[in-house]
Amino acid sequence: MSDSAATNTSTAQAAAPTFDQFGLSADILKAVRESGYTTPTPIQAQAIPVVLAGRDVMGAAQTGTGKTASFSLPIIQRLLPNANTSASPARHPVRALMLTPTRELADQVAANVQTYSKHTPLRSTVVFGGVDMNPQSDALRRGVEILIATPGRLLDHVQQKTVNLGQVQMLVLDEADRMLDMGFLPDLQRILNLLPKERQTLLFSATFSPEIKKLAATYLRNPQTIEVARSNSTNANVRQIVYEVHESDKSGAVAQIIRERELKQVIVFCNSKIGASRLARVLEKDGIVATAIHGDRSQSERMQALDAFKRGEIEALVATDVAARGLDIAELPAVINFDLPFNAEDYVHRIGRTGRAGASGDALSLCSANERKQLADIEKLIKRPLDVEPLEVTTRARRDGSSGSAPRRDERFGRPERGEHRHASRDESGSRRRTTGTHDRPRGRQQPVDEFFLKPYEPSPSAMKRQEETVEPERKSAPKQPLAALLGGLGMPRKSS
DNA sequence: AAAAAAC
């Protein structure tokens, strides 16, 4: 908010905004207060008045910026005047629909909505796949004003006629870019066609890619664009370090990092489901309480894992990118990237799980020889070079049992002449921060030098140049479906699946 | 390349 609405606050803080300035109902404000929030985040300060005014919104903001509240609070407010206390389901049609790409995210948004609306007569529920439909159907039949859903299961309910979307006045597309990436466009089109044309649509996306713009152009009406600085990538609260390790040293490296940094809780991201399961097992064997969360585990296992982690019963949550976006875990001190993500965008989301709400956090990434491309992509996206350090893994024996002596750092990383200036931490003279693997212990299990480590990384000058050119990261991975074709055919008869 | 999501 740019205006100075708070004129008579006794507190002398000049422009400290409060939630009171939005004209939200006392019941909502009470819930907000009980949640412990006092000051709106930037996205909230910008979005709440716009949503209250009934305008469509094109929002660029990530979770962790208070995005959920930025649309939930004004939506609840707008539903309130017609809130019905009647017990009749017919009096509680779905009037607000919120779609998210993953089940966990849907669950989390629903929990937020539930919290913010608990002092109002409004009802809400959540539907997503992987769990029994019947309880969801029951809840829908009892009637809800606010429905949070993943697209597939929602359509399932539509087909079963357990829900009618004909009275939806407000629609939220959360993590819209992710939904497109995941091939949800046909489902989204199907859902959008069921909604009244006369409605308010809020689209939130990490990026405004051409696909997202096309989607917005098709389904939003004169949207107000709201952009909040990408908080996490440049978040000073998050210390980002990349460790160069041999691929086969990675499991040991994770265990070592957890031990040496005495991490109470950490999410470890892997690129594959198998890799996540495997790592969880290795860590368990190493005496670290760990569990895996990914799409091949049952929904109950996923929820159990997440709950146990939130309760602090698990030290290491080993996850695929199912957990990269949106999940809000309080006071997570660190995130480890076992693999660097193929999609640089996902790096930002992953490390966004730590250093939230003003707390500090560490983003520690393992980088092996064949991941330099990913590293370069990430640096390009976040527009700055990452601090790269060697990591000597001492905790686990190498499989080949070789006993060659460890190469000196010079040998391993090449002479710092050609383009090595970017890695201050590699400077021998510098007082490199003491990190894992540097304690004086006999070691001699380093693998022969990798080509990766011999060749200094070339900091692509274009990487730093292009930052001025566009805010938008280049999307590398094309969706499985011919998105352009689908988008080109918006409104056209779609293929059935 | 891999991941996610309806049955």
Side-chain angles (χ1 to χ4, degrees):
Chain A
M1 291 279 284
S2 49
D3 61 346
S4 48
T7 45
N8 278 333
T9 41
S10 52
T11 45
Q13 305 155 13
T18 69
F19 281 101
D20 302 330
Q21 71 196 58
F22 300 121
L24 297 168
S25 102
D27 289 337
I28 297 174
L29 289 174
K30 186 178 172 198
V32 170
R33 260 199 315 277
E34 288 168 358
S35 302
Y37 299 116
T38 51
T39 307
T41 65
I43 180 78
Q44 290 162 358
Q46 288 184 62
I48 291 175
V50 178
V51 179
L52 283 175
R55 282 202 58 181
D56 283 8
V57 166
M58 176 99 165
Q62 298 166 355
T63 324
T65 55
K67 181 180 55 169
T68 307
S70 81
F71 60 77
S72 297
L73 297 177
I75 283 178
I76 292 167
Q77 175 67 38
R78 275 170 64 71
L79 293 176
L80 267 184
N82 299 315
N84 206 304
T85 50
S86 157
S88 164
R91 302 304 196 114
H92 299 271
V94 176
R95 292 197 282 144
L97 176 64
M98 305 174 179
L99 299 178
T100 71
T102 68
R103 299 163 180 174
E104 279 78 6
L105 196 48
D107 207 29
Q108 185 177 288
V109 170
N112 275 291
V113 168
Q114 188 61 48
T115 297
Y116 299 139
S117 64
K118 67 179 169 192
H119 300 304
T120 78
L122 296 169
R123 307 180 187 179
S124 63
T125 196
V126 59
V127 302
F128 51 76
V131 295
D132 193 355
M133 271 191 91
N134 290 324
Q136 297 177 356
S137 302
D138 292 344
L140 289 172
R141 285 201 202 90
R142 285 194 294 272
V144 294
E145 279 86 4
I146 307 171
L147 177 59
I148 301 94
T150 49
R153 178 55 69 92
L154 176 63
L155 284 170
D156 214 347
H157 279 290
V158 167
Q159 229 166 10
Q160 310 268 330
K161 302 215 188 302
T162 44
V163 67
N164 183 318
L165 302 178
Q167 305 210 48
V168 171
Q169 301 159 351
M170 277 170 280
L171 170 70
V172 178
L173 301 174
D174 198 10
E175 308 273 0
D177 53 337
R178 182 60 148 202
M179 287 202 271
L180 293 190
D181 283 348
M182 287 167 61
F184 271 141
L185 183 58
D187 283 351
L188 290 184
Q189 290 173 311
R190 216 162 296 164
I191 292 166
L192 279 152
N193 286 343
L194 297 167
L195 306 181
K197 292 274 176 291
E198 195 64 31
R199 60 154 198 275
Q200 184 179 10
T201 306
L202 317 176
L203 182 154
F204 291 90
S205 178
T207 62
F208 289 163
S209 64
E211 291 87 358
I212 289 293
K213 284 178 180 159
K214 187 77 200 273
L215 189 73
T218 311
Y219 291 115
L220 273 61
R221 281 192 319 193
N222 184 28
Q224 168 88 47
T225 298
I226 296 175
E227 270 187 90
V228 168
R230 181 182 291 279
S231 65
N232 289 324
S233 63
T234 51
N235 194 342
N237 298 334
V238 179
R239 196 168 36 216
Q240 303 176 56
I241 301 174
V242 176
Y243 292 121
E244 289 173 320
V245 294
H246 194 282
E247 186 65 40
S248 56
D249 272 340
K250 280 185 168 182
S251 304
V254 171
Q256 182 172 313
I257 288 170
I258 292 174
R259 290 251 159 68
E260 296 193 358
R261 288 178 172 263
E262 296 178 351
L263 298 176
K264 293 267 179 293
Q265 285 216 298
V266 63
I267 297 184
V268 187
F269 284 104
C270 298
N271 281 358
S272 75
K273 294 180 276 197
I274 290 175
S277 285
R278 196 178 293 150
L279 178 60
R281 273 199 305 274
V282 171
L283 292 179
E284 282 271 278
K285 234 183 260 175
D286 243 16
I288 293 166
V289 188
T291 195
I293 181 168
H294 57 67
D296 273 355
R297 302 203 73 194
S298 74
Q299 194 56 35
S300 68
E301 287 173 323
R302 279 164 62 164
M303 293 195 279
Q304 247 172 10
L306 196 55
D307 285 346
F309 189 69
K310 283 183 175 174
R311 282 196 303 268
E313 294 164 9
I314 287 169
E315 296 173 83
L317 185 67
V318 188
T320 59
D321 282 321
V322 68
R325 296 206 184 197
L327 292 194
D328 192 10
I329 286 133
E331 293 169 35
L332 189 60
V335 161
I336 297 176
N337 286 309
F338 180 85
D339 301 306
L340 288 180
F342 295 118
N343 198 335
E345 190 72 35
D346 286 329
Y347 174 84
V348 177
H349 288 286
R350 288 179 178 186
I351 73 170
R353 298 311 105 216
T354 188
R356 302 177 58 135
S360 72
D362 291 330
L364 312 167
S365 301
L366 306 184
C367 180
S368 71
N370 49 12
E371 291 177 299
R372 55 187 300 185
K373 171 72 165 65
Q374 284 114 295
L375 179 59
D377 284 349
I378 289 164
E379 293 180 323
K380 187 192 295 179
L381 177 69
I382 67 175
K383 296 167 184 169
R384 73 180 183 84
L386 286 170
D387 196 13
V388 182
E389 301 182 6
L391 177 71
E392 284 166 22
V393 181
T394 58
T395 51
R396 287 188 75 77
R398 293 292 314 248
R399 203 175 300 151
D400 65 358
S402 74
S403 57
S405 59
R408 297 189 308 119
R409 204 177 305 153
D410 299 332
E411 294 166 8
R412 293 173 62 210
F413 298 106
R415 308 240 2 261
E417 283 173 15
R418 292 178 300 153
E420 276 300 48
H421 50 279
R422 62 191 215 97
H423 296 315
S425 61
R426 287 186 191 172
D427 193 332
E428 282 288 10
S429 63
S431 55
R432 190 161 62 88
R433 199 161 64 85
R434 182 184 176 88
T435 53
T436 43
T438 54
H439 45 46
D440 43 8
R441 175 168 302 178
R443 51 189 118 77
R445 300 178 174 274
Q446 284 296 331
Q447 189 79 348
V449 195
D450 257 300
E451 282 193 30
F452 171 49
F453 300 135
L454 279 173
K455 273 188 204 153
Y457 168 82
E458 300 285 351
S460 70
S462 61
M464 302 302 149
K465 281 231 180 82
R466 72 179 325 122
Q467 49 186 268
E468 278 90 37
E469 297 170 17
T470 173
V471 212
E472 241 164 56
E474 212 174 325
R475 187 157 292 279
K476 276 292 186 290
S477 67
K480 277 188 270 306
Q481 316 187 21
L483 191 53
L486 282 165
L487 283 163
L490 282 175
M492 304 272 292
R494 70 192 156 273
K495 61 169 184 177
S496 58
S497 60

